Amino acid sequence: MGSQDAKLILYTNHRCPWAHRAHIALSELGLDFEEVIIDLDTPRTPEYLKINPRGLVPALSYNGEIIIESAIVSNFLADLVPGKLLPASNTPEGALARARSSLFVDAFLSKLQPALFKLFTASTEEEKNEIIETAVASVVKEVEPRLADANPFFGGSETITQAEVLTGSFVVRLAAYVRAGFYPDSFSKSLEERAPNFTKWAEAVSKHPSVTGIFDEAVIVESTKARFDKIKAQAAAK
């Protein structure tokens, strides 16, 4: 049975950046799928916990077999259509391309994202400035060099790659959070000055139809604000 003939069911929520990864992959690969929205604001139903005992999204049913965890789901989808998002790994060139992509994704997620999340709970301007400097310095050191040949996407590609599948949902939120005032303007201005490769790449990614397809900025901003207002209130009550 070919990938186009398989029955795919995606259990997802459009507010979740991790589930968003699967949507980007499915869009780029042109695969038909059935969508089931999982309410993340209420306890998971017994029915969904049978599908994914962890209660998280995404979960993917492929002809009845369940695959969970966003990176695993996205990599599985990429392998269904070899050569589109990732080269086949049965050659040294393909294996190297996958390693480069994985290193880039790891640098983006492990260095930039954790630093920026601290902005939501920072209480002073000095603290915010330190967080911004740490985040930008991480991009300059770990991410910027890996985008030297972006065209405009990772690895010199003119089309979305697996690197963008696994980071795109977070990239599109960066710009949205700056517009919403969650991240100060100094963050984007510093990136423009010190990480031009990253800035051009991020702009291309955040405008790509596969990335923006399910992204409702107003809903994401509202839910993010509510989540971190709750965190701040809990911290203040201690």
Side-chain angles (χ1 to χ4, degrees):
M1 178 181 291
S3 58
Q4 296 293 343
D5 301 319
K7 181 173 177 56
L8 298 172
I9 304 174
L10 180 67
Y11 300 87
T12 183
N13 184 288
H14 289 188
R15 299 200 324 256
C16 175
W18 304 102
H20 193 167
R21 289 170 144 184
H23 286 273
I24 300 172
L26 286 162
S27 175
E28 279 299 297
L29 297 171
L31 297 174
D32 294 328
F33 66 100
E34 177 185 340
E35 181 183 72
V36 178
I37 299 295
I38 303 301
D39 186 352
L40 300 180
D41 295 324
T42 60
R44 308 302 176 266
T45 64
E47 291 78 10
Y48 185 60
L49 290 175
K50 288 181 180 178
I51 293 167
N52 184 359
R54 298 181 182 181
L56 304 174
V57 291
L60 179 73
S61 173
Y62 175 78
N63 292 332
E65 182 164 349
I66 301 299
I67 302 163
I68 63 172
E69 297 301 320
S70 63
I72 296 172
V73 168
S74 299
N75 287 330
F76 169 78
L77 290 170
D79 283 334
L80 283 181
V81 187
K84 174 65 175 174
L85 295 171
L86 279 173
S89 60
N90 59 351
T91 67
E93 293 77 12
L96 279 171
R98 285 167 173 255
R100 294 186 190 109
S101 178
S102 296
L103 284 169
F104 171 77
V105 173
D106 177 75
F108 180 93
L109 292 177
S110 67
K111 304 299 181 183
L112 177 59
Q113 291 301 113
L116 289 177
F117 281 142
K118 295 177 183 178
L119 281 172
F120 288 97
T121 54
S123 56
T124 67
E125 286 303 312
E126 181 180 3
E127 188 178 359
K128 291 178 182 178
N129 289 336
E130 289 179 358
I131 292 169
I132 289 298
E133 174 55 31
T134 298
V136 173
S138 295
V139 171
V140 172
K141 179 182 179 181
E142 299 281 349
V143 181
E144 176 76 357
R146 301 185 189 281
L147 291 169
D149 62 347
N151 186 40
F153 301 112
F154 183 78
S157 177
E158 296 180 358
T159 59
I160 287 279
T161 74
Q162 192 70 346
E164 285 80 27
V165 167
L166 296 176
T167 58
S169 59
F170 301 97
V171 173
V172 74
R173 282 163 172 76
L174 287 180
Y177 290 169
V178 170
R179 287 190 289 269
F182 297 157
Y183 300 159
D185 288 338
S186 60
F187 171 60
S188 56
K189 290 178 180 177
S190 185
L191 282 175
E192 290 175 7
E193 294 173 0
R194 298 166 59 185
N197 296 335
F198 176 85
T199 300
K200 292 177 183 177
W201 170 81
E203 183 177 359
V205 172
S206 63
K207 292 180 178 179
H208 195 279
S210 293
V211 175
T212 61
I214 67 162
F215 185 70
D216 187 326
E217 183 168 331
V219 170
I220 296 299
V221 167
E222 181 181 355
S223 63
T224 301
K225 184 178 185 303
R227 180 160 60 97
F228 282 98
D229 282 348
K230 183 178 180 180
I231 292 174
K232 287 180 180 179
Q234 291 173 340
K238 291 181 179 179

